[in-house]
């Protein structure tokens, strides 16, 4: 099945200078994918010319007359820029002209616009930002990573259900293990919202591991990590900073003197493999789960390689039937949860 991706070509710190080359590279590598570049037609056309490329049956331009800036408020973007490249790209998903949308633009504006246009899946209070994170055992899906600073026990339970469905669809695992991020593994640890969420998740049919701590994320203790957006975003940004620190320290040590430079040459193949495994660009692309359509957020400062991987994430989600899987599992688990709660109260 051919997949069509609507790309917000104007989004991010670099706009068309990154999105267009990334789209062209992705099309070369994926013959069953079509891309719609959404944005200012003259800017996109000029970038295509600079790349010695042109539109064709698999690559077309869909004009939009406005651009949402990276520092613009979500309210302003929603109210004043109805023909922005961001909104038009999402509209293509809603109309069925595209299977997914990818944008490196303003996160708040993208979430607000996507929620307004696509609406949420029945049973979901708020969408969550989810991301596949590398671990010692493979990957884990983590959510929420910043969309919801405060979350109720029910919303944390919804995140757990959506994360389980996402991991199951993308990784072909029937019953992914789910962990609730906490300050300790004991049931008595954590705030009231987390404690209540744990009890609520236990009433679902999810493969609930229980509470996990921060170091469990990269150990791969569970397949899905559920948390509120404040905690998740802090954990994500801390991880990104730690990777930068490690790579900086390694570079400093290997360039300290002539001897360490010689050692660096000998270790170059090993270091290249190490860098590839931890390269954050290969894990670029966060999903807005809970919407009735696929929207993938690329990092605003993404380069061509990073944006390429965000496109890959969107295509994988579209091919997997992830939205349908989430919709079905949310309905089933919430019905089961309600029945369990009613039975306990009877």
């Amino acid at each position: 099945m051919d997949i069509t991706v609507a790309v917000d070509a104007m989004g991010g710190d670099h706009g068309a200078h990154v999105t267009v080359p990334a789209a062209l590279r992705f099309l070369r590598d994926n013959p069953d994918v079509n891309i719609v570049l959404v944005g200012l037609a003259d800017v996109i056309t000029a970038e295509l010319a600079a790349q010695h490329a042109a539109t064709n049956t698999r690559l077309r331009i869909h004009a939009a007359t406005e651009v949402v800036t990276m520092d613009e408020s979500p309210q302003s973007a929603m109210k004043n820029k109805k023909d922005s490249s961001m909104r038009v790209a999402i509209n293509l998903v809603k109309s069925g002209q595209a299977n997914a949308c990818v944008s490196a633009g303003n996160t708040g504006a993208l979430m607000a616009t996507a929620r307004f246009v696509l609406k949420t899946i029945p049973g979901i209070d708020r969408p969550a930002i989810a991301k596949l994170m590398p671990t010692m055992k493979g990957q884990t899906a983590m959510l929420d990573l910043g969309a919801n600073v405060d979350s109720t026990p029910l919303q944390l339970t919804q995140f757990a259900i959506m994360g389980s469905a996402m991991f199951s669809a993308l990784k072909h695992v029937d019953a992914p293990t789910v962990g609730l991020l906490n300050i300790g593994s004991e049931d008595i640890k954590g705030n009231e919202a987390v404690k209540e969420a744990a009890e609520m998740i236990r009433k679902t049919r999810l493969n609930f591991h229980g509470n996990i701590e921060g170091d469990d994320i990269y150990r791969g203790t569970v397949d899905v990590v559920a948390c509120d957006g404040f905690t998740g975003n802090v954990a994500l940004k801390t991880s990104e900073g730690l990777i930068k620190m490690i790579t900086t320290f390694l570079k400093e040590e290997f360039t300290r003197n002539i001897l360490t430079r010689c050692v660096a040459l000998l270790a170059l193949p090993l270091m290249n493999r190490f860098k590839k495994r931890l390269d954050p660009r290969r894990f670029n692309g966060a999903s807005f789960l809970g919407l009735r359509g696929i929207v993938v957020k690329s990092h605003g400062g993404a380069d061509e390689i990073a944006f390429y991987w965000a496109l890959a994430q969107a295509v994988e989600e579209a091919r997997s039937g992830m939205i349908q899987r989430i919709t079905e599992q949310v309905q089933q688990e919430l019905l089961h949860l309600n029945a369990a709660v009613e039975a306990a109260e009877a």
Side-chain angles (χ1 to χ4, degrees), residues 234-312:
V234 170
L236 175 65
K237 296 301 173 61
T238 301
S239 304
E240 292 175 349
L242 177 61
I243 292 173
K244 290 178 181 178
M245 184 185 74
I246 291 173
T247 54
T248 299
F249 282 1
L250 284 172
K251 184 177 180 180
E252 289 176 353
E253 293 303 322
F254 277 128
T255 57
R256 187 171 297 278
N257 53 52
I258 187 65
L259 178 61
T260 58
R261 287 190 177 94
C262 292
V263 173
L265 288 175
L266 293 174
L268 188 59
L270 174 65
M271 294 307 300
N272 285 337
R273 289 196 298 271
F274 175 79
K275 181 180 178 181
K276 183 177 181 180
R277 291 183 69 180
L278 289 182
D279 188 351
R281 297 179 301 178
R282 298 180 66 247
F283 300 96
N284 182 44
S287 308
F288 287 0
L289 295 193
L291 299 172
R292 301 186 190 186
I294 295 171
V295 177
V296 171
K297 171 66 173 72
S298 166
H299 195 288
D303 62 10
E304 181 182 331
I305 295 174
F307 198 83
Y308 177 104
W309 284 103
L311 292 171

Side-chain angles (χ1 to χ4, degrees), residues 303-325:
D303 62 10
E304 181 182 331
I305 295 174
F307 198 83
Y308 177 104
W309 284 103
L311 292 171
Q313 178 68 25
V315 170
E316 184 180 12
E317 291 180 8
R319 286 192 176 128
S320 71
M322 186 186 74
I323 299 297
Q324 183 64 27
R325 180 73 67 91

Side-chain angles (χ1 to χ4, degrees), residues 39-40 63-67 82-85 88:
L40 306 179
T65 59
E66 298 171 309
V67 176
K82 297 180 180 180
D83 196 47
S84 68
S85 56
V88 173

